[in-house]
């Protein structure tokens, strides 16, 4: 459950949708789910509960290459599910490489080592999930030895290609909210290029949660009042002790964005009003799931399915145009509780 890194993550101040065009002339970022299942069993995600394997086939992707070119897609992010569980992922990367597209894989890291050569040859960079130091990471992933496999995979990539870019994303939740400094230190230990901290999503229907989480499940992943106070103490310590990492961009969030982690959990407890981040994801990106479902971002409802029409037809279809025309990010309840933000200047905006 990751979003692309290397975009402008802003703290607040979403753009009012009336100022944005409802019809897209370009789509800089395309997020693809090549495989529906995952090889971890993380408490904060339900994708691992999927029992049927669906894949984005090379034939299906090839059928959409003209649309990808026409929409001037610059960057494809493989998400999911675990992309490296795909039976022939690198056939997909070869197709996209022929279209001149930058590619990133978001991965648990468990299959990096055995795919290191193909990744280094055909994918521009990798973003791994890192939940903490070894014991914490394994406890959250609920896969024994997952940290060791992640570490070995990073080493294998760098052995194939020295300096291959690998960054990390950590989902902050009950199990690791006191470990943020150790998370950053572990990222340094692993030789990663950067790390980003993201609050756990508690309320949406994303990540194989079609009816959302129960209050009990939200409580198992979210923070109580005392834990939010402890998180605030940890964040303040992180700000003091890792000033250089923040200044250099190794820790991708600045002071305001790190404090937004606290606000997210406070808002969930009703201690403050939720506030939408600055975001224009529905105007600069789209998510295509393994069954062809198209969403404007990870969290909002589907706009259509590419199996029933081309990518351009879906992202500029009546449902998509009406969604963008009406969307007021600052007021929308899904946006107000969103843990992500993607803001990228786009042509025509």
């Amino acid at each position: 459950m990751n979003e692309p890194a290397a975009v402008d993550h802003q703290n607040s101040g979403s753009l009012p949708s009336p100022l944005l065009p409802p019809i897209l002339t370009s789509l800089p970022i395309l997020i693809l789910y090549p495989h529906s299942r995952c090889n971890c069993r993380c408490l904060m995600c339900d994708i691992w509960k999927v029992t049927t394997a669906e894949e984005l086939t090379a034939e299906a992707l090839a059928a959409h290459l003209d649309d990808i070119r026409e929409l001037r897609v610059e960057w494809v992010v493989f998400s999911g599910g675990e992309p490296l569980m795909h039976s022939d992922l690198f056939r997909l990367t070869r197709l996209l490489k022929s279209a001149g597209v930058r590619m990133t894989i978001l991965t648990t890291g468990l299959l990096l080592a055995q795919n290191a050569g193909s990744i280094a040859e055909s994918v521009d960079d990798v973003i791994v999930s890192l939940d903490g130091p070894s014991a914490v990471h394994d406890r959250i992933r609920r896969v024994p030895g997952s940290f060791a496999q992640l570490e070995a995979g990073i080493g294998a990539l760098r052995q194939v290609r020295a300096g291959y870019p690998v960054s990390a994303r950590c989902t902050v939740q009950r199990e690791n909210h006191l470990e943020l400094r150790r998370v950053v230190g572990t990222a340094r230990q692993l030789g990663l290029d950067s790390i980003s901290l993201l609050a756990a999503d508690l309320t949406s229907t994303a990540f194989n949660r079609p009816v959302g989480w129960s209050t009990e499940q939200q409580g198992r992943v979210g923070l109580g009042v005392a834990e939010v106070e402890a998180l605030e103490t940890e964040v303040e310590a992180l700000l003091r002790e890792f000033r250089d990492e923040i200044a250099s961009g190794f820790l991708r969030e600045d002071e305001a964005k790190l404090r937004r982690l606290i606000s997210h959990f406070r808002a969930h407890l009703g201690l403050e009003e939720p506030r939408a981040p600055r975001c224009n994801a529905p105007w600069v990106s789209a998510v295509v799931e393994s069954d062809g479902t198209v969403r404007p971002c990870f969290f909002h409802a589907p706009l259509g399915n590419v199996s029933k029409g081309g990518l351009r037809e879906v992202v500029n279809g009546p449902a998509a145009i009406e969604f963008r025309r009406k969307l007021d990010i600052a007021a929308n309840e899904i946006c107000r509780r969103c843990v992500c933000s993607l803001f990228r200047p786009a042509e025509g905006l």
Side-chain angles (χ1 to χ4, degrees):
M1 50 181 292
N2 281 298
E3 63 163 330
V7 293
D8 181 16
H9 295 269
Q10 296 293 335
N11 188 49
S12 61
S14 56
L15 295 174
S17 53
L19 299 180
L20 300 174
I23 297 176
L24 303 184
T25 58
S26 68
L27 190 73
I29 301 170
L30 182 61
I31 300 164
L32 298 180
Y33 291 6
H35 194 80
S36 60
R37 301 190 69 183
C38 188
N39 50 11
C40 284
R41 299 170 59 84
C42 304
L43 186 63
M44 66 280 191
C45 177
D46 287 352
I47 291 174
W48 59 271
K49 295 179 180 178
V50 174
T51 57
T52 57
E54 293 180 330
E55 289 192 342
L56 172 65
T57 67
E59 291 73 22
L61 179 59
H64 298 297
L65 281 182
D66 285 345
D67 281 357
I68 286 171
R69 292 187 181 98
E70 288 292 325
L71 288 166
R72 289 170 286 166
V73 173
E74 301 170 15
W75 184 17
V76 166
V77 179
F78 291 110
S79 184
E82 170 53 60
L84 292 172
M85 291 178 69
H86 192 281
S87 61
D88 197 1
L89 180 67
F90 301 104
R91 191 175 170 200
L92 305 187
T93 63
R94 288 192 294 272
L95 285 170
L96 291 166
K97 196 169 187 177
S98 72
V101 173
R102 171 190 170 191
M103 284 170 281
T104 296
I105 290 179
L106 306 182
T107 176
T108 65
L110 301 186
L111 299 174
L112 282 179
Q114 51 266 58
N115 291 285
S118 297
I119 293 170
E121 178 184 359
S122 63
V123 179
D124 294 279
D125 66 288
V126 164
I127 302 172
V128 299
S129 297
L130 177 65
D131 297 304
S134 178
V136 177
H137 182 85
D138 285 7
R139 185 171 71 244
I140 290 174
R141 296 276 122 186
R142 296 197 286 185
V143 175
S146 56
F147 183 89
Q149 292 179 68
L150 171 62
E151 185 173 26
I154 295 167
L157 278 171
R158 298 278 173 73
Q159 187 171 13
V160 171
R161 194 170 119 195
Y164 184 85
V166 185
S167 57
R169 167 60 54 83
C170 174
T171 302
V172 179
Q173 50 147 312
R174 179 185 290 267
E175 290 289 326
N176 64 4
H177 72 286
L178 298 178
E179 305 283 352
L180 304 191
R181 286 170 290 171
R182 295 181 70 199
V183 168
V184 178
T186 301
R188 279 286 192 211
Q189 169 201 323
L190 291 171
L192 297 175
D193 294 288
S194 67
I195 182 164
S196 183
L197 304 178
L198 174 76
D201 169 49
L202 302 172
T203 56
S204 84
T205 57
F207 314 118
N208 192 38
R209 304 191 308 232
V211 296
W213 269 347
S214 66
T215 301
E216 180 183 5
Q217 179 67 7
Q218 291 179 28
R220 284 199 292 266
V221 176
L223 307 184
V225 174
E227 290 158 329
V228 171
E229 293 173 356
L231 174 63
E232 185 170 10
T233 299
E234 179 70 9
V235 167
E236 294 304 321
L238 181 69
L239 291 169
R240 289 193 306 272
E241 296 174 26
F242 288 87
R243 289 189 296 253
D244 291 345
E245 284 78 4
I246 295 170
S248 69
F250 178 79
L251 178 52
R252 296 189 60 83
E253 283 74 29
D254 61 17
E255 180 176 330
K257 298 166 195 174
L258 287 168
R259 289 202 171 106
R260 184 171 169 79
L261 294 170
I262 305 162
S263 294
H264 170 75
F265 291 109
R266 282 180 55 82
H268 184 69
L269 295 172
L271 301 176
E272 63 179 77
E273 283 295 310
R275 184 175 57 175
R278 190 184 191 201
C279 180
N280 65 352
W283 288 267
V284 299
S285 69
V287 175
V288 180
E289 299 177 1
S290 54
D291 66 353
T293 297
V294 180
R295 296 177 184 269
C297 70
F298 289 105
F299 305 102
H300 279 285
L303 301 172
N305 193 297
V306 292
S307 66
K308 300 174 184 176
L311 181 61
R312 278 185 296 170
E313 183 178 335
V314 174
V315 299
N316 278 323
I321 290 172
E322 185 70 358
F323 170 78
R324 289 190 293 269
R325 187 180 68 80
K326 290 184 174 180
L327 181 61
D328 182 345
I329 289 173
N332 183 274
E333 282 304 308
I334 292 175
C335 295
R336 292 177 72 213
R337 297 187 180 276
C338 186
V339 298
C340 301
S341 70
L342 190 163
F343 184 81
R344 172 175 168 151
E347 183 179 326
L349 296 189

